[in-house]
């Protein structure tokens, strides 16, 4: 029985997940050269789930009309005298921030998945693959919205989405480079 990393290095698996030797993922055992589907689900599950969430958010459920019906009562609770124009501008900002954040999260999930995928070459350029997925998915998302009567597609939203993806990757990279505290030495 081979350890997972050994099987990947020897080319015994068509698709490998590799973390650079510093993760529990290397401890997953491969039996008889078969891919560990639990591992595939662990690595790609969050990415696929988030893609589905973004798709659902592009439907009528999250149209401007529906989100306004949630946001307006909250704003009026904080400030009963708030003007209609102020509500519209806050609503616009919240919706654009939603675009930015949802695609930032998508980029992090994509980077996580691609960084661990060997055999397809994703792991070498995981950040480029991640941002490519973000840009392509944001464009197809806007195209999808063109078929929903209560949604308005916009290339500017795709730009906001891609900027969110880049920001998500930058934050993930900064997080990974943080200095980890050293364990206090025990003196005896």
């Amino acid at each position: 029985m081979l350890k997972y990393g050994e099987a990947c290095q020897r080319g015994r698996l068509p698709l490998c997940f590799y973390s650079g030797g510093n993760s529990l993922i290397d401890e997953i055992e491969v039996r008889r050269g078969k891919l560990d589907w639990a591992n595939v689900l662990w690595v790609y599950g969050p990415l696929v789930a988030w893609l589905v969430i973004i798709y659902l958010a592009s439907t009528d459920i999250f149209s401007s009309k529906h989100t306004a019906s949630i946001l307006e009562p909250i704003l009026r609770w904080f400030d009963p005298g708030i003007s209609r124009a102020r509500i519209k501008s806050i609503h616009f900002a919240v919706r654009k921030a939603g675009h930015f954040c949802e695609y930032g999260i998508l980029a992090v999930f994509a980077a996580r998945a691609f960084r661990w995928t060997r055999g397809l070459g994703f792991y070498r350029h995981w950040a480029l693959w991640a941002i490519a997925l973000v840009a392509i998915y944001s464009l197809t998302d806007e195209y999808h919205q063109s078929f929903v009567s209560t949604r308005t597609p916009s290339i500017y939203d795709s730009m906001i989405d891609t900027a969110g993806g880049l920001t998500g990757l930058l934050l993930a990279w900064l997080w990974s480079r943080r200095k980890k505290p050293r364990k206090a030495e025990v003196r005896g």
Side-chain angles (χ1 to χ4, degrees), residues 42-61:
W42 176 257
V43 172
Y44 279 93
L47 174 61
V48 172
W50 197 252
L51 289 169
V52 169
I53 289 169
I54 290 174
Y55 179 82
L56 293 174
S58 294
T59 62
D60 179 57
I61 298 168

Side-chain angles (χ1 to χ4, degrees), residues 49-120:
W50 197 252
L51 289 169
V52 169
I53 289 169
I54 290 174
Y55 179 82
L56 293 174
S58 294
T59 62
D60 179 57
I61 298 168
F62 283 91
S63 67
S64 181
K65 180 178 127 184
H66 287 111
T67 56
S69 69
I70 295 168
L71 186 61
E72 186 173 348
I74 294 169
L75 293 174
R76 291 212 182 273
W77 183 77
F78 281 110
D79 182 7
I82 191 168
S83 70
R84 190 86 177 123
R86 183 78 175 141
I87 290 173
K88 285 181 88 169
S89 65
I90 292 172
H91 183 235
F92 178 81
V94 166
R95 291 184 58 79
K96 298 311 169 192
H99 272 272
F100 189 86
C101 292
E102 74 182 342
Y103 280 87
I105 293 168
L106 175 62
V108 171
F109 284 151
R112 175 184 178 268
F114 295 156
R115 203 169 100 193
W116 286 353
T117 305
R118 293 187 87 132
L120 298 177

Side-chain angles (χ1 to χ4, degrees), residues 12 20 49 53 69 73 80 84 91 99 102-103 123 127 131 136-138 142 149 173:
R12 298 219 177 148
I53 289 169
S69 69
R84 190 86 177 123
H91 183 235
H99 272 272
E102 74 182 342
Y103 280 87
Y123 75 100
I131 203 60
I136 291 167
Y137 200 74
S138 71
E142 293 303 316
S149 63
W173 179 76

